[in-house]
PDB file of all heavy atoms in Angstrom:
ATOM      1  N   THR U   1       0.861  -1.211   0.002  1.00 55.00           N
ATOM      2  CA  THR U   1       0.000   0.025   0.013  1.00 55.00           C
ATOM      3  C   THR U   1       0.887   1.213   0.034  1.00 55.00           C
ATOM      4  O   THR U   1       2.046   1.191   0.324  1.00 55.00           O
ATOM      5  CB  THR U   1      -0.949   0.038   1.223  1.00 55.00           C
ATOM      6  OG1 THR U   1      -0.109   0.153   2.417  1.00 55.00           O
ATOM      7  CG2 THR U   1      -1.725  -1.174   1.344  1.00 55.00           C
ATOM      8  N   SER U   2       0.284   2.370  -0.337  1.00 72.00           N
ATOM      9  CA  SER U   2       1.032   3.551  -0.312  1.00 72.00           C
ATOM     10  C   SER U   2       1.565   3.933   1.045  1.00 72.00           C
ATOM     11  O   SER U   2       2.697   4.474   1.141  1.00 72.00           O
ATOM     12  CB  SER U   2       0.176   4.757  -0.879  1.00 72.00           C
ATOM     13  OG  SER U   2      -0.891   4.925  -0.103  1.00 72.00           O
ATOM     14  N   SER U   3       0.834   3.653   2.057  1.00 86.00           N
ATOM     15  CA  SER U   3       1.375   3.920   3.468  1.00 86.00           C
ATOM     16  C   SER U   3       2.543   3.040   3.769  1.00 86.00           C
ATOM     17  O   SER U   3       3.561   3.515   4.392  1.00 86.00           O
ATOM     18  CB  SER U   3       0.346   3.775   4.533  1.00 86.00           C
ATOM     19  OG  SER U   3      -0.139   2.427   4.581  1.00 86.00           O
ATOM     20  N   GLU U   4       2.552   1.788   3.336  1.00 82.00           N
ATOM     21  CA  GLU U   4       3.734   0.912   3.497  1.00 82.00           C
ATOM     22  C   GLU U   4       4.904   1.453   2.673  1.00 82.00           C
ATOM     23  O   GLU U   4       6.064   1.438   3.138  1.00 82.00           O
ATOM     24  CB  GLU U   4       3.377  -0.485   3.034  1.00 82.00           C
ATOM     25  CG  GLU U   4       2.421  -1.211   4.011  1.00 82.00           C
ATOM     26  CD  GLU U   4       2.083  -2.593   3.527  1.00 82.00           C
ATOM     27  OE1 GLU U   4       2.823  -3.179   2.741  1.00 82.00           O
ATOM     28  OE2 GLU U   4       1.041  -3.087   3.940  1.00 82.00           O
ATOM     29  N   ARG U   5       4.643   1.910   1.458  1.00 84.00           N
ATOM     30  CA  ARG U   5       5.724   2.507   0.696  1.00 84.00           C
ATOM     31  C   ARG U   5       6.315   3.733   1.315  1.00 84.00           C
ATOM     32  O   ARG U   5       7.488   3.845   1.362  1.00 84.00           O
ATOM     33  CB  ARG U   5       5.232   2.808  -0.769  1.00 84.00           C
ATOM     34  CG  ARG U   5       5.281   1.617  -1.709  1.00 84.00           C
ATOM     35  CD  ARG U   5       5.130   2.124  -3.134  1.00 84.00           C
ATOM     36  NE  ARG U   5       3.819   2.651  -3.376  1.00 84.00           N
ATOM     37  CZ  ARG U   5       2.818   1.890  -3.758  1.00 84.00           C
ATOM     38  NH1 ARG U   5       2.967   0.550  -4.008  1.00 84.00           N
ATOM     39  NH2 ARG U   5       1.618   2.448  -4.011  1.00 84.00           N
ATOM     40  N   SER U   6       5.492   4.605   1.822  1.00 92.00           N
ATOM     41  CA  SER U   6       5.970   5.838   2.405  1.00 92.00           C
ATOM     42  C   SER U   6       6.764   5.484   3.711  1.00 92.00           C
ATOM     43  O   SER U   6       7.788   6.102   3.955  1.00 92.00           O
ATOM     44  CB  SER U   6       4.845   6.760   2.706  1.00 92.00           C
ATOM     45  OG  SER U   6       3.980   6.361   3.666  1.00 92.00           O
ATOM     46  N   ARG U   7       6.241   4.509   4.466  1.00 91.00           N
ATOM     47  CA  ARG U   7       7.069   4.091   5.653  1.00 91.00           C
ATOM     48  C   ARG U   7       8.415   3.526   5.215  1.00 91.00           C
ATOM     49  O   ARG U   7       9.419   3.863   5.872  1.00 91.00           O
ATOM     50  CB  ARG U   7       6.300   3.016   6.396  1.00 91.00           C
ATOM     51  CG  ARG U   7       6.975   2.586   7.707  1.00 91.00           C
ATOM     52  CD  ARG U   7       6.281   1.560   8.434  1.00 91.00           C
ATOM     53  NE  ARG U   7       6.250   0.329   7.718  1.00 91.00           N
ATOM     54  CZ  ARG U   7       5.205  -0.578   7.730  1.00 91.00           C
ATOM     55  NH1 ARG U   7       4.167  -0.381   8.448  1.00 91.00           N
ATOM     56  NH2 ARG U   7       5.263  -1.672   7.057  1.00 91.00           N
ATOM     57  N   ARG U   8       8.445   2.699   4.256  1.00 94.00           N
ATOM     58  CA  ARG U   8       9.724   2.148   3.741  1.00 94.00           C
ATOM     59  C   ARG U   8      10.645   3.225   3.256  1.00 94.00           C
ATOM     60  O   ARG U   8      11.827   3.302   3.531  1.00 94.00           O
ATOM     61  CB  ARG U   8       9.457   1.146   2.651  1.00 94.00           C
ATOM     62  CG  ARG U   8      10.757   0.559   2.159  1.00 94.00           C
ATOM     63  CD  ARG U   8      10.536  -0.555   1.127  1.00 94.00           C
ATOM     64  NE  ARG U   8      11.794  -1.053   0.595  1.00 94.00           N
ATOM     65  CZ  ARG U   8      12.475  -1.978   1.139  1.00 94.00           C
ATOM     66  NH1 ARG U   8      12.079  -2.532   2.256  1.00 94.00           N
ATOM     67  NH2 ARG U   8      13.652  -2.384   0.636  1.00 94.00           N
ATOM     68  N   GLU U   9      10.129   4.274   2.525  1.00 94.00           N
ATOM     69  CA  GLU U   9      10.930   5.380   2.073  1.00 94.00           C
ATOM     70  C   GLU U   9      11.497   6.179   3.268  1.00 94.00           C
ATOM     71  O   GLU U   9      12.636   6.625   3.224  1.00 94.00           O
ATOM     72  CB  GLU U   9      10.082   6.279   1.124  1.00 94.00           C
ATOM     73  CG  GLU U   9       9.808   5.629  -0.165  1.00 94.00           C
ATOM     74  CD  GLU U   9       8.749   6.394  -1.007  1.00 94.00           C
ATOM     75  OE1 GLU U   9       8.219   7.398  -0.518  1.00 94.00           O
ATOM     76  OE2 GLU U   9       8.501   5.969  -2.110  1.00 94.00           O
ATOM     77  N   LEU U  10      10.659   6.408   4.306  1.00 93.00           N
ATOM     78  CA  LEU U  10      11.170   7.092   5.484  1.00 93.00           C
ATOM     79  C   LEU U  10      12.338   6.269   6.128  1.00 93.00           C
ATOM     80  O   LEU U  10      13.288   6.886   6.576  1.00 93.00           O
ATOM     81  CB  LEU U  10      10.076   7.311   6.513  1.00 93.00           C
ATOM     82  CG  LEU U  10       8.997   8.346   6.084  1.00 93.00           C
ATOM     83  CD1 LEU U  10       7.795   8.264   7.040  1.00 93.00           C
ATOM     84  CD2 LEU U  10       9.594   9.751   6.015  1.00 93.00           C
ATOM     85  N   ILE U  11      12.161   5.003   6.235  1.00 94.00           N
ATOM     86  CA  ILE U  11      13.191   4.159   6.865  1.00 94.00           C
ATOM     87  C   ILE U  11      14.421   4.208   5.964  1.00 94.00           C
ATOM     88  O   ILE U  11      15.573   4.345   6.532  1.00 94.00           O
ATOM     89  CB  ILE U  11      12.709   2.714   7.035  1.00 94.00           C
ATOM     90  CG1 ILE U  11      11.543   2.708   8.030  1.00 94.00           C
ATOM     91  CG2 ILE U  11      13.842   1.796   7.401  1.00 94.00           C
ATOM     92  CD1 ILE U  11      10.738   1.362   8.117  1.00 94.00           C
ATOM     93  N   GLU U  12      14.275   4.072   4.660  1.00 95.00           N
ATOM     94  CA  GLU U  12      15.436   4.177   3.779  1.00 95.00           C
ATOM     95  C   GLU U  12      16.155   5.504   3.965  1.00 95.00           C
ATOM     96  O   GLU U  12      17.403   5.525   4.077  1.00 95.00           O
ATOM     97  CB  GLU U  12      15.003   4.010   2.345  1.00 95.00           C
ATOM     98  CG  GLU U  12      14.628   2.614   1.960  1.00 95.00           C
ATOM     99  CD  GLU U  12      14.088   2.534   0.515  1.00 95.00           C
ATOM    100  OE1 GLU U  12      13.858   3.586  -0.145  1.00 95.00           O
ATOM    101  OE2 GLU U  12      13.742   1.417   0.166  1.00 95.00           O
ATOM    102  N   GLN U  13      15.408   6.560   3.981  1.00 95.00           N
ATOM    103  CA  GLN U  13      16.054   7.929   4.119  1.00 95.00           C
ATOM    104  C   GLN U  13      16.768   8.067   5.463  1.00 95.00           C
ATOM    105  O   GLN U  13      17.906   8.493   5.545  1.00 95.00           O
ATOM    106  CB  GLN U  13      14.990   8.988   4.000  1.00 95.00           C
ATOM    107  CG  GLN U  13      15.562  10.421   4.196  1.00 95.00           C
ATOM    108  CD  GLN U  13      16.575  10.797   3.157  1.00 95.00           C
ATOM    109  OE1 GLN U  13      16.442  10.442   1.941  1.00 95.00           O
ATOM    110  NE2 GLN U  13      17.566  11.536   3.554  1.00 95.00           N
ATOM    111  N   ARG U  14      16.170   7.602   6.562  1.00 94.00           N
ATOM    112  CA  ARG U  14      16.791   7.627   7.903  1.00 94.00           C
ATOM    113  C   ARG U  14      18.018   6.773   7.980  1.00 94.00           C
ATOM    114  O   ARG U  14      19.042   7.194   8.546  1.00 94.00           O
ATOM    115  CB  ARG U  14      15.740   7.366   8.968  1.00 94.00           C
ATOM    116  CG  ARG U  14      16.305   7.490  10.334  1.00 94.00           C
ATOM    117  CD  ARG U  14      16.720   8.852  10.643  1.00 94.00           C
ATOM    118  NE  ARG U  14      17.327   8.998  11.983  1.00 94.00           N
ATOM    119  CZ  ARG U  14      18.447   9.685  12.247  1.00 94.00           C
ATOM    120  NH1 ARG U  14      18.962  10.478  11.368  1.00 94.00           N
ATOM    121  NH2 ARG U  14      18.965   9.691  13.477  1.00 94.00           N
ATOM    122  N   ALA U  15      17.941   5.593   7.371  1.00 95.00           N
ATOM    123  CA  ALA U  15      19.063   4.717   7.451  1.00 95.00           C
ATOM    124  C   ALA U  15      20.254   5.324   6.650  1.00 95.00           C
ATOM    125  O   ALA U  15      21.429   5.225   7.067  1.00 95.00           O
ATOM    126  CB  ALA U  15      18.716   3.297   6.817  1.00 95.00           C
ATOM    127  N   TYR U  16      19.936   5.954   5.547  1.00 95.00           N
ATOM    128  CA  TYR U  16      20.962   6.700   4.785  1.00 95.00           C
ATOM    129  C   TYR U  16      21.558   7.795   5.579  1.00 95.00           C
ATOM    130  O   TYR U  16      22.806   7.933   5.637  1.00 95.00           O
ATOM    131  CB  TYR U  16      20.389   7.247   3.456  1.00 95.00           C
ATOM    132  CG  TYR U  16      21.422   8.091   2.726  1.00 95.00           C
ATOM    133  CD1 TYR U  16      22.354   7.415   1.918  1.00 95.00           C
ATOM    134  CD2 TYR U  16      21.445   9.439   2.871  1.00 95.00           C
ATOM    135  CE1 TYR U  16      23.287   8.199   1.192  1.00 95.00           C
ATOM    136  CE2 TYR U  16      22.359  10.235   2.170  1.00 95.00           C
ATOM    137  CZ  TYR U  16      23.264   9.587   1.362  1.00 95.00           C
ATOM    138  OH  TYR U  16      24.201  10.355   0.684  1.00 95.00           O
ATOM    139  N   GLU U  17      20.754   8.566   6.315  1.00 95.00           N
ATOM    140  CA  GLU U  17      21.258   9.633   7.177  1.00 95.00           C
ATOM    141  C   GLU U  17      22.201   9.071   8.233  1.00 95.00           C
ATOM    142  O   GLU U  17      23.183   9.703   8.600  1.00 95.00           O
ATOM    143  CB  GLU U  17      20.111  10.404   7.783  1.00 95.00           C
ATOM    144  CG  GLU U  17      19.253  11.187   6.810  1.00 95.00           C
ATOM    145  CD  GLU U  17      17.994  11.709   7.372  1.00 95.00           C
ATOM    146  OE1 GLU U  17      17.669  11.445   8.566  1.00 95.00           O
ATOM    147  OE2 GLU U  17      17.268  12.430   6.639  1.00 95.00           O
ATOM    148  N   LEU U  18      21.743   7.930   8.923  1.00 94.00           N
ATOM    149  CA  LEU U  18      22.635   7.336   9.885  1.00 94.00           C
ATOM    150  C   LEU U  18      23.949   6.867   9.380  1.00 94.00           C
ATOM    151  O   LEU U  18      25.002   7.068   9.981  1.00 94.00           O
ATOM    152  CB  LEU U  18      21.852   6.144  10.531  1.00 94.00           C
ATOM    153  CG  LEU U  18      20.623   6.529  11.430  1.00 94.00           C
ATOM    154  CD1 LEU U  18      19.820   5.297  11.651  1.00 94.00           C
ATOM    155  CD2 LEU U  18      21.002   7.254  12.613  1.00 94.00           C
ATOM    156  N   TRP U  19      23.937   6.269   8.164  1.00 95.00           N
ATOM    157  CA  TRP U  19      25.099   5.814   7.453  1.00 95.00           C
ATOM    158  C   TRP U  19      26.011   7.040   7.203  1.00 95.00           C
ATOM    159  O   TRP U  19      27.271   6.938   7.490  1.00 95.00           O
ATOM    160  CB  TRP U  19      24.738   5.082   6.168  1.00 95.00           C
ATOM    161  CG  TRP U  19      25.911   4.761   5.277  1.00 95.00           C
ATOM    162  CD1 TRP U  19      26.891   3.806   5.553  1.00 95.00           C
ATOM    163  CD2 TRP U  19      26.211   5.356   4.053  1.00 95.00           C
ATOM    164  NE1 TRP U  19      27.762   3.753   4.484  1.00 95.00           N
ATOM    165  CE2 TRP U  19      27.388   4.677   3.563  1.00 95.00           C
ATOM    166  CE3 TRP U  19      25.706   6.336   3.278  1.00 95.00           C
ATOM    167  CZ2 TRP U  19      27.991   5.003   2.354  1.00 95.00           C
ATOM    168  CZ3 TRP U  19      26.277   6.660   2.072  1.00 95.00           C
ATOM    169  CH2 TRP U  19      27.408   6.031   1.656  1.00 95.00           C
ATOM    170  N   ALA U  20      25.446   8.084   6.687  1.00 95.00           N
ATOM    171  CA  ALA U  20      26.295   9.295   6.346  1.00 95.00           C
ATOM    172  C   ALA U  20      26.846   9.911   7.686  1.00 95.00           C
ATOM    173  O   ALA U  20      28.036  10.291   7.694  1.00 95.00           O
ATOM    174  CB  ALA U  20      25.414  10.328   5.656  1.00 95.00           C
ATOM    175  N   ALA U  21      26.061   9.924   8.696  1.00 95.00           N
ATOM    176  CA  ALA U  21      26.541  10.457   9.993  1.00 95.00           C
ATOM    177  C   ALA U  21      27.660   9.649  10.572  1.00 95.00           C
ATOM    178  O   ALA U  21      28.476  10.155  11.328  1.00 95.00           O
ATOM    179  CB  ALA U  21      25.382  10.593  10.972  1.00 95.00           C
ATOM    180  N   ALA U  22      27.677   8.354  10.222  1.00 95.00           N
ATOM    181  CA  ALA U  22      28.728   7.432  10.728  1.00 95.00           C
ATOM    182  C   ALA U  22      29.923   7.466   9.865  1.00 95.00           C
ATOM    183  O   ALA U  22      30.832   6.622   9.955  1.00 95.00           O
ATOM    184  CB  ALA U  22      28.149   6.056  10.857  1.00 95.00           C
ATOM    185  N   GLY U  23      30.018   8.453   8.949  1.00 95.00           N
ATOM    186  CA  GLY U  23      31.206   8.604   8.125  1.00 95.00           C
ATOM    187  C   GLY U  23      31.175   7.700   6.827  1.00 95.00           C
ATOM    188  O   GLY U  23      32.232   7.413   6.229  1.00 95.00           O
ATOM    189  N   CYS U  24      29.992   7.224   6.448  1.00 95.00           N
ATOM    190  CA  CYS U  24      29.810   6.388   5.263  1.00 95.00           C
ATOM    191  C   CYS U  24      30.625   5.118   5.302  1.00 95.00           C
ATOM    192  O   CYS U  24      31.005   4.538   4.285  1.00 95.00           O
ATOM    193  CB  CYS U  24      30.179   7.159   3.981  1.00 95.00           C
ATOM    194  SG  CYS U  24      29.219   8.683   3.773  1.00 95.00           S
ATOM    195  N   ALA U  25      30.850   4.684   6.553  1.00 91.00           N
ATOM    196  CA  ALA U  25      31.576   3.390   6.746  1.00 91.00           C
ATOM    197  C   ALA U  25      30.652   2.216   6.373  1.00 91.00           C
ATOM    198  O   ALA U  25      29.504   2.169   6.720  1.00 91.00           O
ATOM    199  CB  ALA U  25      32.059   3.288   8.207  1.00 91.00           C
ATOM    200  N   HIS U  26      31.275   1.228   5.732  1.00 92.00           N
ATOM    201  CA  HIS U  26      30.481  -0.005   5.306  1.00 92.00           C
ATOM    202  C   HIS U  26      30.542  -0.987   6.421  1.00 92.00           C
ATOM    203  O   HIS U  26      31.381  -1.005   7.299  1.00 92.00           O
ATOM    204  CB  HIS U  26      31.091  -0.544   4.048  1.00 92.00           C
ATOM    205  CG  HIS U  26      30.855   0.403   2.889  1.00 92.00           C
ATOM    206  ND1 HIS U  26      29.656   0.531   2.217  1.00 92.00           N
ATOM    207  CD2 HIS U  26      31.744   1.262   2.307  1.00 92.00           C
ATOM    208  CE1 HIS U  26      29.811   1.381   1.278  1.00 92.00           C
ATOM    209  NE2 HIS U  26      31.046   1.858   1.307  1.00 92.00           N
ATOM    210  N   GLY U  27      29.508  -1.860   6.454  1.00 96.00           N
ATOM    211  CA  GLY U  27      29.477  -2.930   7.423  1.00 96.00           C
ATOM    212  C   GLY U  27      28.454  -2.873   8.468  1.00 96.00           C
ATOM    213  O   GLY U  27      28.323  -3.780   9.264  1.00 96.00           O
ATOM    214  N   ASN U  28      27.819  -1.713   8.586  1.00 95.00           N
ATOM    215  CA  ASN U  28      26.797  -1.454   9.602  1.00 95.00           C
ATOM    216  C   ASN U  28      25.405  -1.240   9.078  1.00 95.00           C
ATOM    217  O   ASN U  28      24.549  -0.642   9.747  1.00 95.00           O
ATOM    218  CB  ASN U  28      27.196  -0.366  10.543  1.00 95.00           C
ATOM    219  CG  ASN U  28      28.448  -0.615  11.326  1.00 95.00           C
ATOM    220  OD1 ASN U  28      28.619  -1.734  11.804  1.00 95.00           O
ATOM    221  ND2 ASN U  28      29.336   0.327  11.354  1.00 95.00           N
ATOM    222  N   ASP U  29      25.159  -1.720   7.840  1.00 94.00           N
ATOM    223  CA  ASP U  29      23.954  -1.401   7.149  1.00 94.00           C
ATOM    224  C   ASP U  29      22.732  -1.944   7.915  1.00 94.00           C
ATOM    225  O   ASP U  29      21.687  -1.254   8.032  1.00 94.00           O
ATOM    226  CB  ASP U  29      23.942  -1.881   5.704  1.00 94.00           C
ATOM    227  CG  ASP U  29      24.295  -3.355   5.610  1.00 94.00           C
ATOM    228  OD1 ASP U  29      25.184  -3.787   6.406  1.00 94.00           O
ATOM    229  OD2 ASP U  29      23.875  -4.012   4.620  1.00 94.00           O
ATOM    230  N   ILE U  30      22.856  -3.147   8.453  1.00 95.00           N
ATOM    231  CA  ILE U  30      21.745  -3.768   9.179  1.00 95.00           C
ATOM    232  C   ILE U  30      21.431  -2.989  10.447  1.00 95.00           C
ATOM    233  O   ILE U  30      20.283  -2.716  10.763  1.00 95.00           O
ATOM    234  CB  ILE U  30      22.033  -5.236   9.489  1.00 95.00           C
ATOM    235  CG1 ILE U  30      22.309  -6.071   8.247  1.00 95.00           C
ATOM    236  CG2 ILE U  30      20.959  -5.839  10.342  1.00 95.00           C
ATOM    237  CD1 ILE U  30      21.045  -6.123   7.345  1.00 95.00           C
TER     238      ILE U  30
END
């Protein structure tokens, strides 16, 4: 559903922000 898609998009965006804040280091994606 669109609400599930928007939730997933929010999670993707926040996970990206966390990754960037951590210096773009690989290995902590999960």
Side-chain angles (χ1 to χ4, degrees):
T1 66
S2 61
S3 64
E4 288 176 22
R5 272 195 294 271
S6 65
R7 181 181 67 212
R8 182 177 175 83
E9 290 168 357
L10 289 170
I11 294 168
E12 288 174 355
Q13 178 62 38
R14 183 61 184 141
Y16 175 82
E17 292 169 358
L18 292 168
W19 172 71
C24 302
H26 295 282
N28 295 317
D29 52 327
I30 300 297

